[in-house]
Amino acid sequence: MAGAGLALSTQFAHAQSTLRAGADAQGIDIAVAVNDNLLQNDSTYRNTIATQFNSVTAENVMKMDAVEPSQGNFNFAPGDRLVQFAQQNDMSVHGHTLVWHNQSPNWIKNLSGSAMRQAMENHITTTMNHWEGDIAGWDVVNEVVDGGQLRNSFWLQAMGPDYIQWAFEAARAADPSADLYMNDYSIEGINSKSDKYYQMAQDLVSQGLLDGMGFQSHLILGQVPGNMEQNLQRFADLGLKVRITELDVRIQMPASQQELQQQAQDYQRVIDICTSIADCSGVTVWGLRDGDSWVPDVFSGYGAPLLYNDNYTTKPAYDAVLEALGGTPPDDDTTPPDDDTTPPDDDDTTPPPTGDGDCTAVIDVVNDWGSGWQGNVMITAGDSAVSGWTLNWTWPSGQSITSSWNADISSSGSSVTASDVGWNADIAAGQTMNAWGFVGSGSSASPQVTCTAG
Ligand code: G3I
C-alpha cells in the first residue's frame, strides 16, 4: 500500500501535466505495454509508468508460451507481478493474449484437432479464471486474419475455422465480467483485412460473444490512414468498444527534428480519433522508451517509435499526446532534466507576454544546435475562451522560419504573421496551449509576440 500512496500523491500534485490525469478526464485508458524485466529492476521505469499511465498491458508475460510453457503447468507469477503493480497504482489491465500463432509453446502445435481444442479451451479457462475480475478486457484471439482471409495458422490447420468461436465461448464462460476483443495489425484503415474482421465481428456480436475490436496501430511516420476514424466508427456502430492496442510510429533512423514533429502530429491524430469516438476504450503505446521497443529488432533501420527517450526525457510526441488529452505540457520538475544539447530554461531573458484582446503568446526556445534552433509557441487565453488566434512579431536580427508545424505562416521581411490551423484554434479560458512550433535559422530569439483572438 505504501507504493499506492506514493504514486497517487505524485499524480494529484501534477494533475494538469500527466497523461493519466488527461485520460481520466476524457474517460479513456492511456496504457503502456510493460516489460517484466524493467518492471522488476528499474524504479524510474515503474515510477514513470505509475505517474503517467492509468492502464497497462503485459508486453510478453501473459502470452501462452509464458503462461503455459508445458501442458497443464501454468506460470502466473510474472503476470501476477503486473496485476499487483497495476492494483497498487490504481490502473486497469488489458490482457494480451490467449490465442496467437506466435509465442505459443511447441507442445500445443503437435496436438490433433480435438486435443488441440481441449487444450486451447483449458488454457483460456484456466488463465481467465486465475485473473477473473482483475483484467478489464482480453485479446482473446490475436492476428487470426492474413490479407482478406483467415490466417493459415497451426490453429486453423488443426481445428478448422470454428476455433475462433470456440475460443470466444470459452472466454465468455471463464470471466463474464471481462470485455472480449479480437486484435490485429494493418486494420487501422478500411481494407480487405479490416473488411474481413468487420464480417467476423458482425457474426460474433450476433452471438453475444464479442465486446471490442483492437487496432494494433504499428504505424509508419506520416501514415495514419485517412479513413482510420471512419473505420473504427463502423466497428463502434456494431455496439463494440474500439481500442488502439499497440501504438508506435516508426521513423527511418536517424530521426530529424522535423520527423519527430511529424511523429508528434501522428500520435496526436490517433489520440484525437479515440477521443472522437464515444466507445473508444483507450490507447496503448507499445513500450515506454524508444530503446524498449521491438521495432529496431524487426524493421532494420527504423526506430524512435515511442514517447520517451532512453534517459526518460519526453519527446515531442509525448507533449502532443498530453495536449490531445487536454493537458498542458509540464514546464516544471515533472519532466526529467533534458540532455546537454538543450540550453537551460531562459525564463529571465524571455520578455513577459503581452496581450491583445483575449490571449498572450511567447516563443520558447526549446533547442539550439548552433546552425539552427527550434521554437515552440505557447498561447495563453485570458479570462474568456479563445476561438481562433493570430500572432504577429518582428525578428530582431535576420532570423527566418525554415519549417513549421500546426500554424499558417506568412512573412514579409522581418515581420511574421502566424494563425491557427483549425483544430488548435480553441483554448479554454486561462489555459495555455503548446500550440505550434518551427525550426528557425540564424541565432535563436524570443521576440515580443502580439496575440489577437478571434
Ligand atoms: O524470453 C526469451 C529469453 O529467454 C531469451 O534469452 C531472449 C533472447 O532473444 O529472447 C526472449 O524472448 C523474446 C521475447 O520477446 C520476450 O522478451 C523474443 O526473442 C522476442 O522475439 C520477443 O519479442 C516480442 C514479440 O512480440 C514476439 O512476437 C516483443 O517483445 C513484443 O513487443 C512483440 O509484441 C507483438 C504483440 O504481442 C502482437 N502484435 C505485434 C507486436 C510486435 O511484434
Side-chain angles (χ1 to χ4, degrees), residues 33 35 37 58-61 63 65 96-97 100 102-103 139 142-143 183-185 216 218 245-246 248 286-287 292-295 297-299:
N35 174 304
N37 237 340
E59 185 178 5
N60 285 300
V61 299
K63 294 172 180 173
D65 62 351
H96 176 79
T97 177
W100 189 24
N102 276 338
Q103 288 174 291
D139 295 333
N142 190 43
E143 302 174 6
N183 189 50
D184 212 326
Y185 61 87
Q216 292 185 6
H218 294 294
T245 48
E246 304 183 12
D248 47 34
W286 202 246
D292 304 333
S293 171
W294 69 293
V295 162
D297 295 339
V298 175
F299 297 103

Side-chain angles (χ1 to χ4, degrees), residues 98-109:
L98 295 163
V99 178
W100 189 24
H101 61 279
N102 276 338
Q103 288 174 291
S104 287
N106 282 332
W107 63 261
I108 197 165
K109 298 179 184 168

Side-chain angles (χ1 to χ4, degrees), residues 143-212:
E143 302 174 6
V144 294
V145 170
D146 193 14
Q149 50 196 336
L150 290 184
R151 180 184 290 276
N152 190 21
S153 65
F154 71 89
W155 302 106
L156 182 74
Q157 287 169 15
M159 293 186 280
D162 288 342
Y163 83 94
I164 294 173
Q165 177 169 337
W166 297 335
F168 276 95
E169 285 167 351
R172 184 63 92 213
D175 183 356
S177 72
D179 285 334
L180 307 183
Y181 283 74
M182 296 192 283
N183 189 50
D184 212 326
Y185 61 87
S186 297
I187 56 166
E188 293 74 34
I190 296 178
N191 54 38
S192 58
K193 191 169 179 182
S194 60
D195 283 349
K196 174 68 176 170
Y197 272 108
Y198 187 69
Q199 271 174 18
M200 292 162 64
Q202 286 175 307
D203 181 39
L204 288 166
V205 165
S206 73
Q207 300 180 70
L209 291 174
L210 188 69
D211 305 304

Side-chain angles (χ1 to χ4, degrees), residues 265-333:
Q265 287 185 38
D266 293 345
Y267 266 97
Q268 187 152 25
R269 176 72 192 129
V270 173
I271 302 285
D272 284 347
I273 289 170
C274 183
T275 56
S276 312
I277 298 175
D279 295 312
C280 183
S281 64
V283 177
T284 304
V285 289
W286 202 246
L288 185 67
R289 300 170 300 173
D290 285 340
D292 304 333
S293 171
W294 69 293
V295 162
D297 295 339
V298 175
F299 297 103
S300 171
Y302 282 83
L306 296 171
L307 302 181
Y308 280 82
N309 296 305
D310 293 351
N311 62 357
Y312 291 104
T313 55
T314 56
K315 296 170 59 190
Y318 168 93
D319 288 349
V321 170
L322 181 58
E323 274 173 38
L325 292 170
T328 307
D331 56 3
D332 61 15
D333 58 3

